[in-house]
């Protein structure tokens, strides 16, 4: 069985990885400075020129990029090449409805798919496998990324997209799927549905699952492994850096190997921006070393995690990141979708409601739920049930348009949400996401 998709790079010596990074960062900084005026201005403000970057160690001289920069530069401000060289966009929701739009050249897509292929092979995938991709397709990166990676490995690919669980199960059983790629909560739901239909875990042919796009615990991993009779692997990525496949788990299941020939990772103190030594817990920062269409340098992910170079029994030499342990901002990931309280606030104010609201997130039967309690203004208050229900439905529709997922909205009496002396407690997240 093939253990690595690209053995020469996945098991390269530390010296070789650093040599590749040194070569790529010098070239990439020059490319960005010459082609991305937005970032050139940030460098000029900081007094940094491309010739100041002689190796990967000099990366700390460069300015950071944040989600706010992406919003300001939307849509074309961080484009790194002529639009005619780009062949695709992918997108994710932004903080106030302005989406993150990432551009890809054909070469960017090839490299991204290679990263996803590495993840599939690390999970035991070969050309003999049937790979069922149940991540969403379209603008979301999950479906297209794993689809392309599956093709590169040579698997028979089932481009199912998400939802329609009966059809998922029919194809899984009839075509003998051996690898499944989806969000962990959807994998758990498929496991439950199979059991309800009377299937034992050994009745399917699945051997591995590649799950990402939302936080999940070790308990959830074991539960999915048991219900589907598989080994469950974690995968990590962001639309800003291409999508899933930035890092992935091997059979050791003790963190995700970052594809260091394409992405350089740093851990910083989220307050000061200071780079922290290996093993420290802090905010993850990524630099895309060879992306052409959307080449982000020192992008602050807001994910809190730890990096380790401890030797791995799988033989891969690339640095490992832990599962994200939280966020340094207020973003929530609900059913694989990024949700910010500021988006909810924007909708409420646009629709003429007060900014007194509370977000309740939970997980019921392995599926995330999102409820929003919204205080009515005294002049909006009514004891007509039909009127209140109509208003709730209208708000739910506006929220779905903004967020990409449908919450349950509850309009409540004026002054009924508890006021806080300090920072308002906007979000109550009852999911157990961390061990």
């Amino acid at each position: 069985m093939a253990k690595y998709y690209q053995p020469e790079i996945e098991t390269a010596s530390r010296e070789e990885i650093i040599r590749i990074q040194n070569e790529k960062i010098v070239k990439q900084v020059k490319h960005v400075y010459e082609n991305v005026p937005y970032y050139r201005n940030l460098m000029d403000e900081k007094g940094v020129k491309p010739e100041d970057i002689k190796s990967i160690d000099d990366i700390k001289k460069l300015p950071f990029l944040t989600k706010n920069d992406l919003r300001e530069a939307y849509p074309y401000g961080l484009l790194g090449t002529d639009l005619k060289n780009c062949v695709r966009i992918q997108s994710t929701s932004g903080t106030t409805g302005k989406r993150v739009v990432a551009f890809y050249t054909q070469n960017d897509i090839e490299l991204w798919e290679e990263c996803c292929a590495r993840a599939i092979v690390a999970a035991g995938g070969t050309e003999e496998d049937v790979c069922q991709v149940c991540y969403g397709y379209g603008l979301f990166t999950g479906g297209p990324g794993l689809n392309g990676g599956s093709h590169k490995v040579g698997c028979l690919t089932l481009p199912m997209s998400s939802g329609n669980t009966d059809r998922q199960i029919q194809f899984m059983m009839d075509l003998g799927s051996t690898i499944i790629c989806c969000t962990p909560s959807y994998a758990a739901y498929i496991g439950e549905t199979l059991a309800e239909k009377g299937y034992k875990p050994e009745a399917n042919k699945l051997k591995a699952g590649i799950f990402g796009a939302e936080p999940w615990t070790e308990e959830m991993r074991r539960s999915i492994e048991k219900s589907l009779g598989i080994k469950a692997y974690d995968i990590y990525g962001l639309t800003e850096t291409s999508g899933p496949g930035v890092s992935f788990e091997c059979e050791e299941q003790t963190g995700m190997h970052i594809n260091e020939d394409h992405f350089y990772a740093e851990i910083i103190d989220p307050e000061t921006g200071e780079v922290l030594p290996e093993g420290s817990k802090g905010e993850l920062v990524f630099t895309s070393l060879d992306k052409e269409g959307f080449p982000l340098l020192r992008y602050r992910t807001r994910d809190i995690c730890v990096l380790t170079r401890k030797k791995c029994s799988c033989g891969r030499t690339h640095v490992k990141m832990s599962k994200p342990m939280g966020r340094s901002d207020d973003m929530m990931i609900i059913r694989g979708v990024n949700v910010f309280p500021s988006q909810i606030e924007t909708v409420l104010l646009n629709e003429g409601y007060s900014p007194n609201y509370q977000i309740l997130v939970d997980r019921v039967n392995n599926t995330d739920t999102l409820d929003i309690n919204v205080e009515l203004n005294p002049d909006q208050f009514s004891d007509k049930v039909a009127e209140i229900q109509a208003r709730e439905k209208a708000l739910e529709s506006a929220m779905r348009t903004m967020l990409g997922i449908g919450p349950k909205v509850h309009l409540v009496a004026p002054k009924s949400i508890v006021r806080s002396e300090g920072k308002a407690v906007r979000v109550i997240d009852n999911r157990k996401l961390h061990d």
Side-chain angles (χ1 to χ4, degrees):
M1 185 186 85
K3 202 176 180 189
Y4 314 108
Y5 179 67
Q6 292 165 313
E8 67 296 338
I9 185 63
E10 292 180 65
T11 62
S13 67
R14 190 83 229 117
E15 295 69 31
E16 177 60 10
I17 291 170
I18 291 166
R19 186 195 67 73
I20 291 168
Q21 291 178 336
N22 286 344
E23 198 178 285
K24 287 187 176 183
I25 193 66
V26 171
K27 207 168 144 192
Q28 185 72 309
V29 171
K30 186 173 184 293
H31 168 75
V32 169
Y33 192 81
E34 288 169 3
N35 293 284
V36 186
Y38 187 96
Y39 198 78
R40 179 166 64 240
N41 292 341
L42 291 181
M43 282 178 68
D44 288 346
E45 274 170 33
K46 215 173 172 203
V48 193
K49 291 281 180 273
E51 50 273 25
D52 297 329
I53 310 301
K54 297 179 172 65
S55 75
I56 202 74
D57 290 339
D58 294 324
I59 202 167
K60 53 177 126 6
K61 298 175 183 173
L62 293 170
F64 292 114
L65 274 172
T66 65
K67 196 83 155 206
N68 208 42
D69 291 309
L70 269 56
R71 205 163 58 233
E72 272 183 39
Y74 172 91
Y76 292 122
L78 287 164
L79 188 61
T81 184
D82 287 349
L83 204 55
K84 67 177 185 211
N85 299 327
C86 295
V87 297
R88 194 195 298 171
I89 67 151
Q90 302 283 169
S91 176
T92 183
S93 62
T95 47
T96 53
K98 260 195 188 170
R99 302 182 72 85
V100 172
V101 174
F103 299 86
Y104 299 72
T105 63
Q106 189 56 45
N107 187 54
D108 290 338
I109 288 173
E110 294 294 326
L111 297 182
W112 174 28
E113 291 178 349
E114 281 178 8
C115 288
C116 289
R118 290 179 192 178
I120 291 168
V121 173
T126 71
E127 68 277 5
E128 305 286 333
D129 282 292
V130 178
C131 184
Q132 183 160 336
V133 183
C134 334
Y135 284 112
Y137 280 66
L139 290 171
F140 179 61
T141 55
L146 271 306
N147 190 87
S150 176
H151 279 216
K152 287 238 185 276
V153 175
C155 306
L156 174 64
T157 310
L158 310 187
M160 302 296 294
S161 197
S162 51
N164 200 332
T165 307
D166 284 345
R167 188 176 62 192
Q168 300 276 9
I169 287 172
Q170 184 196 337
F171 274 71
M172 180 195 295
M173 303 308 283
D174 292 353
L175 290 164
S177 302
T178 53
I179 297 173
I180 187 166
C181 308
C182 59
T183 61
S185 54
Y186 193 54
Y189 180 66
I190 288 175
E192 278 173 19
T193 310
L194 280 166
E196 282 165 14
K197 288 179 181 287
Y199 290 110
K200 296 261 190 302
E202 56 273 18
N204 71 63
K205 291 220 172 90
L206 292 173
K207 64 180 185 184
I210 298 172
F211 307 130
E214 65 187 15
W216 53 309
T217 60
E218 283 303 313
E219 285 93 341
M220 193 165 179
R221 185 208 297 270
R222 301 295 162 232
S223 160
I224 293 168
E225 289 185 333
K226 198 173 163 195
S227 73
L228 291 174
I230 59 169
K231 192 156 178 172
Y233 297 84
D234 210 345
I235 190 167
Y236 175 89
L238 311 137
T239 302
E240 296 91 325
T241 53
S242 67
V246 170
S247 67
F248 60 88
E249 262 186 337
C250 61
E251 69 254 29
E252 206 179 74
Q253 294 178 309
T254 55
M256 292 169 274
H257 290 283
I258 294 169
N259 285 308
E260 285 191 274
D261 51 326
H262 301 303
F263 308 101
Y264 182 72
E266 302 169 87
I267 294 287
I268 63 163
D269 179 319
E271 300 299 320
T272 65
E274 179 203 352
V275 179
L276 301 174
E278 186 197 320
S280 306
K281 185 174 166 181
E283 184 184 337
L284 185 59
V285 172
F286 273 120
T287 292
S288 295
L289 295 171
D290 44 20
K291 271 198 82 175
E292 299 166 340
F294 199 62
L296 299 190
L297 303 179
R298 300 198 88 198
Y299 179 66
R300 293 185 62 164
T301 68
R302 297 292 180 186
D303 281 326
I304 301 294
C305 75
V306 175
L307 298 181
T308 176
R309 295 202 177 278
K310 198 170 150 227
K311 200 170 177 211
C312 186
S313 61
C314 79
R316 286 177 183 80
T317 49
H318 294 218
V319 69
K320 270 201 221 175
M321 60 177 274
S322 65
K323 272 181 184 290
M325 301 162 175
R327 303 273 308 168
S328 66
D329 63 5
D330 56 0
M331 188 183 90
M332 300 166 285
I333 302 176
I334 299 168
R335 301 201 288 276
V337 176
N338 299 348
V339 175
F340 291 86
S342 53
Q343 292 173 303
I344 289 165
E345 203 159 297
T346 301
V347 172
L348 293 178
L349 296 173
N350 287 347
E351 299 290 323
Y353 290 89
S354 83
N356 289 317
Y357 62 94
Q358 199 155 52
I359 302 163
L360 304 162
V361 190
D362 211 334
R363 190 164 271 172
V364 180
N365 295 330
N366 288 308
T367 301
D368 292 339
T369 60
L370 174 61
D371 289 76
I372 304 167
N373 293 336
V374 180
E375 239 182 50
L376 289 161
N377 292 320
D379 58 329
Q380 294 169 322
F381 192 61
S382 162
D383 54 6
K384 294 192 178 78
V385 174
E387 192 181 310
I388 294 288
Q389 284 175 339
R391 280 169 166 268
E392 287 173 342
K393 286 278 171 287
L395 253 186
E396 281 170 3
S397 173
M399 293 282 185
R400 184 186 289 277
T401 302
M402 169 68 92
L403 305 175
I405 57 170
K408 195 92 189 86
V409 171
H410 311 274
L411 292 174
V412 299
K415 303 267 186 292
S416 62
I417 291 176
V418 179
R419 300 295 189 267
S420 164
E421 294 298 312
K423 200 176 170 196
V425 182
R426 293 279 185 230
V427 181
I428 297 171
D429 193 337
N430 292 319
R431 297 173 295 177
K432 185 179 180 299
L433 297 177
H434 309 290
D435 301 332

